[in-house]
Amino acid sequence: MFVLVALLVAMNIGIEQLTDKDITGAEILLLRSVCNLIAAIFIAAYSRKSIIPKQPKLQLGAFICLGLSLLLIFTAYQYISAGSVSTLQRLDIPLLVLIAAFGSHSKLSQTVLAIIAFALVAALLILNKTTDENPVGYFIVLSAVVILCINTLLQKKIAVTENIQTIILISSLSSVFWGGIRCWQTHATFDNIHFDSLLVIVGLSIINLIIFYIVNDLYKKKSPEVVRYPYLLAAFLTMITEMIVEHKIFNPILIVGNISILIVLTLLVRSRHKSLMTNETN
């Protein structure tokens, strides 16, 4: 758990460092995914395992959702802080709970916590004029959250039957496709990417591969909400890291808002985990 959280924090900070150098989210996503794609091909060849999907329809859905959600998230770093991006991404947790509520698999208290989480985000959007963050970033992340939620549900099913090599390959192809489309649309020149930036991107691709292996194993054992919990912890630590390492002083409203969201989501995940454990026992 600790290793996953540390890797996620490193990923968040690394992406923000690159966007601070005027490297676009699409450029980062494309280059990181190309590195992952090359690695996935070598891993598949070395392990001699089939990379043909056993569930092509689910993999097609994942292909559409994963790369698109990542493209939106990477772009959001250009508008708001890494701490805010990583915190807002975790709204997939209350969204998953609300989806479960429609199927009568969620308690009223959990539904209320989910609604409170969304209300807190709405409050931050209303108060954005005093937080020095561009509201465009909030809307981009919220759009990504909806797509990410769909992808989470797909990945939960995919992890049971597909091998990790296939999952990494499809995910990398998806990110290369969406990142490439966006770079083509914006006529990306990659002029701001130098050798040191390339090293960071390669490092991020290695981190991403390790995250793939850890998360895929968690999907086989835990519910989607519980799997996302390390991301929640990483969001809080990302904000702390930004303040310590980068000497960033965030607006008090932004700090209180993000911490409030983290507390509500932590209570929500704990409640969901207890409910699922009780159901399994019964």
Side-chain angles (χ1 to χ4, degrees):
M1 180 74 75
F2 175 78
V3 173
L4 177 57
V5 172
L7 291 172
L8 291 168
V9 172
M11 180 70 74
N12 293 335
I13 297 299
I15 294 171
E16 185 181 45
Q17 290 290 323
L18 292 172
T19 56
D20 285 344
K21 297 179 180 179
D22 293 324
I23 302 173
T24 68
E27 291 172 337
I28 300 169
L29 178 62
L30 177 61
L31 294 177
R32 192 195 74 171
S33 301
V34 167
C35 293
N36 280 163
L37 182 59
I38 294 171
I41 293 172
F42 274 104
I43 292 171
Y46 178 78
S47 62
R48 297 182 179 180
K49 290 187 177 181
S50 174
I51 57 175
I52 299 176
K54 297 177 182 177
Q55 302 187 72
K57 290 183 180 179
L58 291 179
Q59 289 288 14
L60 177 61
F63 177 87
I64 295 172
C65 293
L66 181 61
L68 182 56
S69 63
L70 287 177
L71 176 59
L72 291 171
I73 290 168
F74 277 43
T75 302
Y77 281 96
Q78 299 169 221
Y79 298 94
I80 56 180
S81 69
S84 292
V85 172
S86 55
T87 299
L88 292 171
Q89 281 183 68
R90 301 291 61 80
L91 285 177
D92 59 345
I93 295 173
L95 186 55
L96 286 167
V97 171
L98 290 177
I99 292 173
F102 282 107
S104 300
H105 299 302
S106 178
K107 293 182 178 179
L108 178 60
S109 60
Q110 295 166 359
T111 303
V112 171
L113 285 172
I115 294 173
I116 291 174
F118 281 106
L120 287 170
V121 174
L124 281 181
L125 284 171
I126 294 172
L127 298 171
N128 76 80
K129 291 182 179 179
T130 60
T131 61
D132 299 323
E133 293 204 331
N134 194 325
V136 172
Y138 288 84
F139 287 110
I140 290 175
V141 177
L142 292 176
S143 299
V145 164
V146 175
I147 302 172
L148 186 61
C149 184
I150 297 172
N151 182 67
T152 298
L153 296 174
L154 291 173
Q155 292 297 334
K156 174 66 177 176
K157 295 181 179 179
I158 289 172
V160 177
T161 57
E162 302 283 10
N163 61 53
I164 186 65
Q165 292 81 5
T166 303
I167 294 173
I168 294 175
L169 181 66
I170 298 298
S171 300
S172 300
L173 286 172
S174 173
S175 299
V176 168
F177 174 78
W178 288 107
I181 289 291
R182 185 57 181 164
C183 286
W184 173 71
Q185 288 179 332
T186 57
H187 305 287
T189 61
F190 300 92
D191 287 342
N192 294 320
I193 298 178
H194 305 293
F195 182 72
D196 59 334
S197 299
L198 278 175
L199 289 179
V200 173
I201 291 173
V202 171
L204 292 179
S205 71
I206 295 172
I207 290 174
N208 195 47
L209 284 173
I210 299 172
I211 291 174
F212 262 121
Y213 276 92
I214 297 175
V215 172
N216 186 67
D217 187 57
L218 287 175
Y219 271 126
K220 297 176 181 178
K221 304 173 182 176
K222 306 291 184 180
S223 69
E225 299 94 329
V226 175
V227 173
R228 308 311 277 176
Y229 189 68
Y231 291 80
L232 188 61
L233 296 176
F236 178 74
L237 292 177
T238 295
M239 180 179 290
I240 300 298
T241 302
E242 284 185 288
M243 289 191 287
I244 295 175
V245 177
E246 301 179 20
H247 305 291
K248 284 189 175 182
I249 305 299
F250 292 107
N251 186 291
I253 293 176
L254 184 63
I255 295 174
V256 173
N258 280 339
I259 291 177
S260 299
I261 293 170
L262 288 170
I263 292 173
V264 171
L265 293 181
T266 297
L267 293 173
L268 183 56
V269 170
R270 286 175 62 88
S271 177
R272 284 291 292 168
H273 182 61
K274 288 181 180 178
S275 296
L276 293 170
M277 291 294 290
T278 301
N279 291 338
E280 287 179 3
T281 302
N282 295 335

